[in-house]
Amino acid sequence: MKSDTSIIPPELLLQAYRAGIFPMSDSRDDPDVYWVEPRMRAILPLEGFHLSRSLARTLRRGRFRVTCNEAFDAVIDACAAPRLDAEDSWISHRIAASYRELHRQGHAHSIETWQDGPGGTEILVGGLYGVGFDRVFCGESMFSRTSDASKVALAWLVAALRRAGAELLDCQFTTPHLASLGAVEITQARYLDLLKRALIPAARRQAGGEPSAAAGAAAAGADVTAAGAGGLPAGFAALLVDAAAAGLSSSPGNFIAQSLTHTS
């Protein structure tokens, strides 16, 4: 039987995420994907991000320039590159191509961290990417080429999602790195409850609506190419406006540190 090398259709990817499932591959060159529904799930509560003193200092000093969706292709390539602590990447060429298409349609996003390099050029030194819909962001992978680069990207992600009114930041699997930043492990059943709640419009919830299997099924069958595309980019842009209004346009990292300190 011939392996499928076409991209995963964007509508299928989004329906899977709305059902609490995500794809992986066994290696970079593996043309096949398998769908994962872990028994235990890692999430990072948006009000529970752990901003250490050293990370707050890094943010305030502005060691990195931080952007959103400026270099999605480069971020996913860096996340898929070989690592010392892993034999091979689960981000296959097919998966990477699938998320690039999802990004073109406005449903996959990246946060990038940059530093000055030789000759006055900027170098991409860290970042992350994931899938956004409704009030949910599913983080897929992150990378760091220098100390704190991915932590700063994650801090900006949390601040931007808060600003956008998001409710759920999915980290898929827990790691010591994520746990040190506030990630916790919950059962898949609990994750699905939180996911269903985040798929229900806030106005409907305020009117007394509650999560239900019917609501989850309706969300999965909706026009997924049009739903929930602007959360992270809109929240990121709003943070820059807020920083400028606070007189910190030249030091937005200082504003991010303040916002996370006040609510952590």
Side-chain angles (χ1 to χ4, degrees), residues 39-198:
R39 292 182 180 179
M40 301 299 293
R41 195 83 174 227
I43 65 168
L44 204 166
L46 292 173
E47 300 304 321
F49 181 75
H50 179 230
L51 182 70
S52 66
R53 290 182 180 179
S54 62
L55 182 55
R57 242 186 341 262
T58 297
L59 286 165
R60 292 190 180 102
R61 290 174 179 172
R63 283 178 50 203
F64 305 97
R65 184 174 76 90
V66 185
T67 57
C68 178
N69 284 343
E70 191 168 303
F72 183 89
D73 286 352
V75 168
I76 199 169
D77 284 343
C79 288
R83 304 188 186 194
L84 294 176
D85 58 349
E87 292 182 4
D88 205 346
S89 174
W90 60 267
I91 306 172
S92 66
H93 294 291
R94 184 184 178 198
I95 285 179
S98 301
Y99 285 92
R100 286 190 175 97
E101 179 58 30
L102 204 63
H103 172 67
R104 281 190 285 271
Q105 294 194 14
H107 299 289
H109 309 291
S110 58
I111 300 286
E112 305 92 12
T113 51
W114 307 81
Q115 281 188 326
D116 291 336
T121 60
E122 275 193 321
I123 299 174
L124 180 67
V125 293
L128 57 84
Y129 79 96
V131 177
F133 54 93
D134 298 278
R135 289 180 307 285
V136 181
F137 189 84
C138 299
E140 285 294 303
S141 187
M142 62 175 62
F143 79 99
S144 183
R145 292 171 176 156
T146 189
S147 176
D148 289 338
S150 63
K151 289 182 180 180
V152 166
L154 188 59
W156 274 81
L157 173 68
V158 169
L161 291 176
R162 286 179 177 176
R163 185 65 174 83
E167 294 185 5
L168 180 60
L169 173 52
D170 171 30
C171 302
Q172 298 181 347
F173 300 109
T174 189
T175 66
H177 176 66
L178 288 172
S180 72
L181 294 166
V184 297
E185 195 172 56
I186 60 175
T187 64
Q188 176 72 357
R190 175 58 178 155
Y191 174 78
L192 291 176
D193 286 341
L194 296 174
L195 179 61
K196 287 178 182 177
R197 181 175 175 82

Side-chain angles (χ1 to χ4, degrees), residues 196-258:
K196 287 178 182 177
R197 181 175 175 82
L199 294 178
I200 295 177
R204 179 179 158 193
R205 283 221 312 267
Q206 291 169 2
E210 288 297 329
S212 67
D223 180 5
V224 295
T225 61
L232 175 58
F236 189 93
L239 284 177
L240 297 180
V241 172
D242 293 344
L248 294 171
S249 58
S250 62
S251 180
N254 197 8
F255 180 80
I256 299 302
Q258 289 180 16

